[in-house]
Amino acid sequence: ESSPRARTTPSSSRTNKEIPATALVGGALDVEVLQLLLLTAHFEEKVKEGFQRLIQNKEDEWDASRSKVMADLSELSKYFQMNEKAADSNKDSNDDIAKWFADMASEVQSLSIDQHEGDQSSTFAKAQYCIEALREMA
């Protein structure tokens, strides 16, 4: 004489006696509370999977982004070096700007996330410095 509420499910051997008291209303299982618990568990699993993918892809994403930034900075440096030859009046200014972009490319290249946890905070601080320096340049 088991009621549907007291049956076990294939994924769990729990009966309504093992369900937390918050899911019971007057001795009967509150279906809405159980549905909420199941949805919460499903959401928790999705979040966990998302974080696992993020952690697995972190290094590849970092390397790809860093390479793109380095290429862009090197291209800007070359642009100002070429313009330096075309405009002798701004030679010193263009030379300084070209060197600045080349230095920024080197700075970005030195950034790494392969360091220990404590060192990562300094890497992110350096990355923030580079971002701010580029914003000031704009």
Side-chain angles (χ1 to χ4, degrees):
E1 301 192 333
S2 93
S3 69
R5 292 184 177 139
R7 284 189 210 155
T8 60
T9 62
S11 63
S12 170
S13 62
R14 289 185 169 186
T15 63
N16 69 355
K17 293 178 185 176
E18 295 172 319
I19 296 173
T22 57
L24 298 174
V25 176
L29 179 62
D30 185 353
V31 175
E32 290 178 356
V33 172
L34 183 57
Q35 287 176 336
L36 178 63
L37 289 171
L38 288 172
L39 288 172
T40 302
H42 182 71
F43 177 70
E44 185 178 321
E45 182 66 23
K46 291 291 184 184
V47 169
K48 178 183 170 186
E49 289 170 2
F51 277 119
Q52 285 174 337
R53 278 192 307 274
L54 182 66
I55 289 170
Q56 289 171 350
N57 297 331
K58 175 178 77 170
E59 196 168 321
D60 293 337
E61 290 290 327
W62 174 266
D63 289 339
S65 296
R66 185 178 61 175
S67 294
K68 175 156 179 24
V69 169
M70 287 171 24
D72 290 346
L73 290 170
S74 295
E75 188 175 325
L76 285 167
S77 178
K78 289 176 187 175
Y79 172 80
F80 283 102
Q81 285 174 346
M82 287 189 307
N83 279 348
E84 169 187 317
K85 295 172 186 170
D88 286 334
S89 61
N90 290 334
K91 185 177 188 295
D92 292 335
S93 176
N94 285 346
D95 188 39
D96 291 344
I97 293 171
K99 183 178 179 338
W100 187 86
F101 279 118
D103 290 345
M104 287 302 291
S106 296
E107 187 72 29
V108 169
Q109 185 178 16
S110 73
L111 299 176
S112 173
I113 59 169
D114 296 333
Q115 302 167 343
H116 299 293
E117 182 112 6
D119 294 337
Q120 282 185 355
S121 61
S122 67
T123 295
F124 294 124
K126 287 178 185 177
Q128 187 63 39
Y129 163 76
C130 291
I131 291 168
E132 290 301 318
L134 288 168
R135 282 188 181 145
E136 288 177 14
M137 187 64 144

